[in-house]
Amino acid sequence: MSCILALESSCDETAAAVVDASLRVRCDIVASQHDLHAEYGGVVPEIASRAHLERFLPVIRAALSESGLSLNDVSAVAVGIRPGLIGSLLVGTSAAKALAWSLDVPFYGVDHVAAHLFAGLLRESSAPELSVADLSAADFPALGLVVSGGHTSLFSMSSASECLLIGRTIDDAVGEALDKAAAMLGLPHPGGPNLERCALHGDASVLRFTTPVLPNSLDFSLSGLKTKLLYAVRGVPQGRGSNSTFAHSSHDLTATRRADLAASFQHAAVKQVMHRLTHAASLTHPRTLFVGGGVLANQVLRRELTAWSLEHAVRLIVPAPRHCVDNAAMIAGYAQLRRQTDEVGDDLSMPAEPVSTFARGTTSKRTVKP
Ligand code: KG4
Ligand code: ZN
């Protein structure tokens, strides 16, 4: 069975995985660096790239041993080559190129956002054999939604290879906003999952947010929600600029108030995602919805999407929670999809890049009438 070994190191997860041609995940190793960055309240790029360097060899060895393969069984090597922290990307990219060159197998430089979008096609290792052509034969037109810490992108898809960017955030990504909201509430890094946990016992109706609507656009905006939360936590600032002071801090919050604010903010973020999706669906009439990205690990968002897809009779393709947050299985899976039509892969001179060309869209951004 033709297996692809993939590496992923775009941010703070050092990951290696093996996926076969039926998109079955043979192994999926993720070494998280959350502990290293927690004391700084966010990812420190220099620490992240050093940690990737230290962790990659053990992670690759673990992936091969868990999948029961030797390097000689690997038929291609893939890597998340963009977007991400450039120092981190360079570690994974250099390792993957060295492996592909030394094994004399094809190399695939994969766009991380594209890999998130198709992660829902990955399957358990015990699943029956299927051709990748069958697996990717979803009903089109489709909508695609990637919500992560670095990206909030909405795509109109006429086929798996034709994805048009129709909406994106004009300020913070949804995951980034959840992380910052968590920090404002005094919750530890990583913010998104801790905010979800805190919100479990909160009342989402305590702080009411208006969903921002941008004229003729499917774009997202999260920064206004953050300001509203900041004022709810710390009070309206006195004074201007660097001389402004707040009457309160997150330490003044009771556990109940913190949970209510967490639930309210999470509700507002999810509501905006669902609003844009409904608007996009009314314009494009999708038969399928592909979703992915770290925020899809959130149970509230998953429940909303499930209900939405039933109501709109749209097939939902959603990854398992472990394949929503950064992982290498999605990189290997996307490389398998590409391999159907491209057995040669990319040149080893392909550079790592901090930005996504995929999320810029295969064609220019379309204006959308409300
Ligand atoms: O896809 P990902 O691992 O990295 C990027 O490509 O950015 O996404 C990370 C983001 C972070 O902002 C994190 O807080 C968020 O996904 N996230 C969550 C949850 N798990 C991760 N947000 C809300 N609820 C969660 N359970
Ligand atoms: Zn990601």
Side-chain angles (χ1 to χ4, degrees):
M1 180 51 81
S2 165
C3 283
I4 294 187
L5 168 68
L7 311 184
E8 157 63 32
S9 64
S10 63
C11 191
D12 60 342
E13 323 282 358
T14 314
V18 174
V19 171
D20 70 21
S22 287
L23 297 191
R24 294 178 295 198
V25 181
R26 302 280 294 265
C27 70
D28 177 18
I29 309 285
V30 180
S32 167
Q33 301 177 6
H34 289 163
D35 52 335
L36 298 181
H37 302 284
E39 68 173 292
Y40 305 99
V43 178
V44 182
E46 184 61 22
I47 293 177
S49 32
R50 280 168 191 267
H52 287 309
L53 202 53
E54 287 163 8
R55 292 169 185 211
F56 251 129
L57 284 180
V59 164
I60 294 169
R61 279 195 199 106
L64 290 170
S65 130
E66 199 172 289
S67 57
L69 298 177
S70 77
L71 277 176
N72 291 330
D73 301 318
V74 168
S75 63
V77 178
V79 70
I81 203 159
R82 61 168 187 265
L85 301 172
I86 192 64
S88 291
L89 286 171
L90 282 169
V91 179
T93 301
S94 309
K97 286 179 178 177
L99 274 171
W101 178 79
S102 59
L103 298 171
D104 195 21
V105 294
F107 165 78
Y108 291 87
V110 170
D111 189 292
H112 183 95
V113 180
H116 269 309
L117 188 57
F118 291 98
L121 297 176
L122 292 171
R123 304 158 76 226
E124 295 293 331
S125 60
S126 55
E129 196 168 319
L130 274 179
S131 79
V132 178
D134 288 339
L135 288 163
S136 54
D139 265 347
F140 289 92
L143 276 175
L145 173 75
V146 175
V147 266
S148 71
H151 311 279
T152 299
S153 309
L154 193 54
F155 299 96
S156 171
M157 305 161 70
S158 45
S159 72
S161 57
E162 289 164 287
C163 303
L164 174 69
L165 182 73
I166 56 171
R168 64 186 154 196
T169 180
I170 60 164
D171 39 56
D172 289 26
V174 174
E176 184 186 359
L178 291 168
D179 291 340
K180 288 178 178 163
M184 284 179 210
L185 292 167
L187 298 168
H189 175 83
N194 284 322
L195 186 111
E196 178 176 21
R197 225 163 284 130
C198 177
L200 275 178
H201 305 292
D203 176 353
S205 66
V206 163
L207 187 64
R208 289 187 185 278
F209 294 85
T210 324
T211 303
V213 179
L214 308 166
N216 293 338
S217 168
L218 287 164
D219 284 346
F220 296 70
S221 173
L222 281 299
S223 66
L225 308 186
K226 278 187 323 184
T227 308
K228 178 150 181 157
L229 179 69
L230 180 72
Y231 290 179
V233 174
R234 306 195 61 188
V236 178
Q238 304 297 309
R240 285 172 163 264
S242 56
N243 294 325
S244 61
T245 53
F246 290 94
H248 302 287
S249 84
S250 62
H251 298 298
D252 301 329
L253 295 171
T254 63
T256 307
R257 176 83 175 150
R258 183 175 284 113
D260 288 346
L261 294 181
S264 301
F265 190 88
Q266 178 176 260
H267 175 74
V270 169
K271 196 167 141 203
Q272 186 171 159
V273 172
M274 300 315 297
H275 174 273
R276 299 304 193 263
L277 207 51
T278 304
H279 187 179
S282 72
L283 297 162
T284 61
H285 310 291
R287 294 154 76 105
T288 306
L289 171 62
F290 290 86
V291 293
V295 182
L296 260 300
N298 185 284
Q299 293 301 326
V300 176
L301 180 56
R302 292 175 81 88
R303 275 200 298 275
E304 288 288 326
L305 284 168
T306 305
W308 185 93
S309 62
L310 286 173
E311 188 191 330
H312 289 79
V314 169
R315 179 179 166 216
L316 178 65
I317 301 190
V318 57
R322 72 176 188 286
H323 292 140
C324 293
V325 286
D326 285 350
N327 65 89
M330 67 180 191
I331 304 290
Y334 190 73
Q336 288 282 16
L337 292 177
R338 271 191 56 192
R339 209 169 183 211
Q340 277 182 94
T341 52
D342 170 14
E343 293 209 348
V344 178
D346 295 311
D347 197 89
L348 289 177
S349 63
M350 185 183 199
E353 288 179 284
V355 291
S356 170
T357 44
F358 177 78
R360 263 186 242 140
T362 44
T363 46
S364 60
K365 193 166 171 292
R366 188 173 66 190
T367 305
V368 182
K369 296 271 176 269

